[in-house]
């Protein structure tokens, strides 16, 4: 007898980082590390399970910024170079550690792994991870969704409904263009929700989205069955809420699975231990060290001495932890189901397990093995059914209606990581830039003219320049809104880079605004910005489906946020 349902969601996201002006850029390596340790192994795992006839019905949210980086020709070439560099470094390490059978064997493991993934990427995927993902997902039972254009924390944009519209609709358009998928669901960046957001999501055709637990627990009226049944919001989209215990088991480094001593230690990386000259420019550009992905130790000894990593023991532990998670699910949905039936619930309870995709393979090296054995263990079970949100909603009707509460995930649960004295200086500047963008885009978009009559009245070449200028202004405004930068400023991880990125995008926007108002385009400067901040190269005013245009209903009370922070 079935006791309950499980929705697993992985959110794959990285901020848009591209530095063509540098041969090696430390922050670009975020993408290459995630591809080597998470995205490529994930696709390979899905293909292997599909060949065995094992479905993996989970939801994968892929952010538009990640989609654009994976499609970028320069970054794709640099990814292959990174795989070559890791392989070469690991081979040098194996030679250096010939007399050490343990560490030398680990170095060889990394060399073979990166070389195998490079071959997989080039020979089986033909160097096109995006096309492979689009083809693999339906075969494996994976439901693809997206998030907002630059992963903006939407409650911070609540006073600017047009900015929220642009974030949502451009995110959807990126998924259509890059993966050929019509988006049904939306991952709210940082699970950030504010009162009235459901109306803007309904406008864009969003069928469902995800909240942190308390966003649903504090809904109005309070849902009768808690977080283990979704609710329909007043505007129509369905809200699913994360399960706290499923999150803790996998997410928490202290009490969750990743903190076990059998697993690989993330923070002991060869890039911070070898002499800089042995790392070379690839992993120490300008003398600044970067991670290599080569890690020899496991989670032991706290901040003290670490024991060497033992891959076989770690993989066995991952299988054991997957079995433990399934046991926990069975017990949890059994107890929840009994309580819900006594309360008259119309169907079995649902557990939503949502995580950052990069946890699996990157932060938690064995995480993808855990995920594989989770779906192997669920395959054929009758008590717990893994489903996607789309499958779930096709089977379920009669949902309660409730208005979710202001909420986010992260520390404190109310956006404290994204609106804080360490970063809130940026919010009024970001708002001003967006209002300036609305001014620039306000005059007759169909004829593609700026508010500046002097520029709009120029020749056909001038009209083309105008389109480029308007599109780049929108890119810079959107990029300044990304939630990654305030988070890093608050957490003081890469804080100088994060602050610099926000300031640069706002400065770039200001220069473009000056060009527009003066009716004179600096073609060289505009070209430089288009090369570096090349987000959504397909972007023109005509390809923005309503993002720059006020909806006929945008003045109604339904679409305006009823609570502004």
């Amino acid at each position: 007898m079935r006791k309950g349902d499980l929705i697993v969601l992985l959110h794959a996201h990285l901020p848009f980082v591209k530095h063509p002006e540098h041969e090696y850029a430390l922050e670009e390596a975020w993408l290459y590390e995630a591809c080597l340790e998470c995205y490529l192994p994930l696709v390979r795992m899905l293909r292997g399970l599909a060949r065995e006839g094992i479905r993996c019905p989970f939801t994968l949210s892929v952010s538009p910024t990640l989609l654009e980086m994976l499609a970028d020709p320069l970054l794709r070439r640099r990814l292959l170079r990174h795989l070559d560099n890791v392989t070469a470094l690991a081979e040098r390490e194996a030679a250096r550690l010939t007399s050490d059978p343990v560490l030398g064997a680990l170095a060889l493991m990394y060399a073979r792994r990166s070389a195998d993934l490079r071959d997989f990427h080039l020979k089986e995927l033909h160097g096109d991870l995006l096309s492979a993902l689009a083809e693999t997902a339906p075969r494996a039972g994976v439901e693809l969704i997206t998030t907002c254009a630059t992963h903006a924390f939407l409650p911070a944009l609540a006073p600017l409904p047009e900015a929220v519209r642009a974030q949502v609709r451009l995110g959807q358009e990126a998924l259509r263009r890059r993966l050929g998928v019509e988006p049904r669901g939306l991952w709210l960046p940082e699970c950030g929700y504010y009162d009235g957001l459901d109306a803007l999501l309904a406008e864009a055709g969003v069928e469902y989205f995800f909240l942190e637990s308390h966003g649903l627990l504090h809904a109005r009226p309070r849902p009768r069955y808690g977080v283990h049944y979704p609710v329909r919001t007043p505007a129509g989209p369905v809200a699913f809420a994360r399960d706290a215990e499923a999150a803790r088991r996998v997410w928490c480094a202290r009490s969750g699975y990743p903190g076990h001593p059998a697993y690989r230690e993330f923070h002991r990386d060869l890039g911070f231990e070898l002499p800089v000259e042995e790392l070379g420019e690839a992993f120490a550009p300008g003398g600044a060290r970067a991670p290599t992905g080569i890690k020899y130790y496991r989670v032991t000894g706290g901040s003290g001495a670490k024991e060497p990593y033992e891959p076989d023991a770690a993989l066995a532990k991952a299988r054991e932890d997957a079995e433990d998670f399934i046991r926990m699910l069975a017990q949890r949905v059994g107890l929840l189901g009994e309580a819900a039936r006594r309360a008259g619930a119309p169907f079995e309870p649902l557990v939503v397990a949502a995580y950052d995709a990069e946890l699996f393979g990157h932060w938690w090296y064995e995480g993808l093995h855990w995920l594989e054995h989770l779906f192997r263990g669920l395959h054929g079970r009758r008590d717990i059914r893994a489903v996607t949100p789309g499958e779930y909603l096709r089977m379920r009707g009669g949902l309660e209606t409730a208005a979710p509460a202001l909420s986010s995930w992260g520390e404190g649960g109310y956006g404290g990581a994204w609106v804080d004295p360490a970063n809130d200086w940026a919010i009024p500047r970001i708002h001003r830039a967006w209002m300036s963008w609305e001014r620039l885009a306000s005059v007759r978009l169909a004829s593609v003219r700026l508010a500046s009559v002097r520029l709009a009245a120029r020749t056909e070449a001038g009209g083309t320049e105008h389109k480029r200028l308007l599109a780049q202004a929108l890119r810079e405004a959107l990029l300044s809104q990304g939630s990654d930068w305030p988070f890093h400023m608050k957490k003081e991880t890469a804080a100088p880079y994060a602050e610099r990125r926000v300031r640069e995008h706002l400065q770039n926007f200001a220069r473009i605004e000056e060009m527009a108002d003066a009716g004179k385009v600096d073609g060289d400067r505009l070209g430089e910005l288009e090369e570096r901040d090349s987000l959504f190269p397909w972007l023109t005013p005509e390809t923005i489906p309503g993002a720059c245009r006020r909806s006929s209903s945008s003045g109604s009370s339904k679409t305006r946020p009823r609570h502004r922070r």
Side-chain angles (χ1 to χ4, degrees), residues 26-87:
L26 290 176
E27 292 78 16
E28 273 187 9
W30 297 343
L31 173 65
Y32 313 139
E33 292 168 29
C35 285
L36 174 59
E37 297 181 344
C38 179
Y39 309 143
L40 285 170
L42 176 61
V43 171
R44 185 164 64 176
M45 180 197 84
L46 291 174
R47 290 194 161 205
L49 290 176
R51 284 192 292 267
E52 295 182 44
I54 298 175
R55 290 183 75 245
C56 295
F58 71 88
T59 306
L60 181 63
S61 164
V62 190
S63 76
T65 49
L66 177 57
L67 290 172
E68 294 301 310
M69 288 191 292
L70 291 175
D72 186 86
L74 174 65
L75 297 179
R76 286 169 65 159
R77 290 194 299 272
R78 288 183 171 182
L79 168 60
L80 292 175
R81 182 182 67 180
H82 179 81
L83 291 171
D84 287 339
N85 288 337
V86 171
T87 304

Side-chain angles (χ1 to χ4, degrees), residues 326-565:
I326 293 172
R327 285 193 297 271
M328 179 275 293
L329 283 174
Q331 182 181 30
R332 191 162 176 74
V333 297
L335 293 173
L336 289 168
E338 290 176 12
R341 281 189 292 275
R342 288 196 296 270
F347 36 76
E348 296 79 9
L350 169 71
V351 171
V352 176
Y355 316 99
D356 281 343
E358 295 77 22
L359 170 68
F360 297 86
H362 178 56
W363 298 102
W364 181 20
Y365 188 61
E366 302 79 9
L368 285 172
H369 294 277
W370 179 90
L371 191 68
E372 175 182 345
H373 287 284
L374 173 66
F375 284 104
R376 285 186 183 278
L378 291 172
H379 184 66
R381 285 186 72 113
R382 302 186 60 170
D383 55 342
I384 305 169
R385 177 179 56 187
V387 294
T388 66
E391 291 171 341
Y392 185 89
L393 292 177
R394 283 193 292 272
M395 297 182 292
R396 294 290 180 237
L399 299 178
E400 291 182 90
T401 297
L406 174 74
S407 54
S408 76
W409 69 359
E411 183 181 352
Y414 292 96
W418 299 278
V419 183
D420 179 85
N423 53 42
D424 62 4
W425 61 266
I427 294 175
R429 293 168 172 82
I430 289 168
H431 284 200
R432 281 199 296 270
W434 183 263
M435 289 186 283
S436 295
W437 151 254
E438 287 189 341
R439 178 181 68 83
L440 293 177
S442 63
V443 179
R444 294 183 60 188
L445 283 170
S447 60
V448 198
R449 294 196 300 171
L450 286 175
S452 169
V453 175
R454 285 175 294 176
L455 183 60
R458 293 170 74 87
T459 62
E460 182 63 30
T464 301
E465 281 186 331
H466 156 68
K467 292 182 184 182
R468 290 173 55 202
L469 202 67
L470 195 58
Q472 195 60 35
L474 180 55
R475 289 188 190 102
E476 301 295 343
L478 291 169
L479 285 166
S480 73
Q481 296 169 3
S483 69
D484 305 272
W485 311 133
F487 178 83
H488 285 305
M489 283 186 255
K490 160 72 172 175
K491 297 299 181 182
E492 298 182 352
T493 54
Y497 179 78
E499 181 173 344
R500 186 170 79 245
R501 282 294 301 270
V502 174
R503 292 189 185 279
E504 285 180 352
H505 291 307
L506 293 173
Q507 289 165 1
N508 294 339
F509 181 90
R511 292 190 186 99
I512 293 171
E513 185 181 20
E514 289 172 4
M515 294 183 208
D517 287 338
K520 186 176 180 181
V521 177
D522 182 341
D524 291 339
R525 178 58 179 160
L526 180 57
E528 290 174 5
L529 294 178
E530 288 173 325
E531 181 184 10
R532 186 180 66 191
D533 298 338
S534 58
L535 185 74
F536 310 142
W538 40 265
L539 186 63
T540 67
E542 299 94 333
T543 61
I544 307 170
C548 309
R549 188 179 299 111
R550 291 186 182 275
S551 166
S552 61
S553 63
S554 64
S556 72
S557 61
K558 280 187 176 182
T559 58
R560 291 194 182 277
R562 296 188 290 273
H563 178 96
R564 294 181 181 175
R565 189 165 181 188

Side-chain angles (χ1 to χ4, degrees), residues 97-121:
L97 296 168
T98 302
S99 60
D100 188 326
V102 176
L103 299 189
L106 288 172
L108 271 178
M109 178 193 75
Y110 287 119
R112 289 169 183 157
R113 183 174 188 270
S114 55
D116 287 347
L117 283 171
R118 189 184 194 280
D119 287 345
F120 171 71
H121 184 41

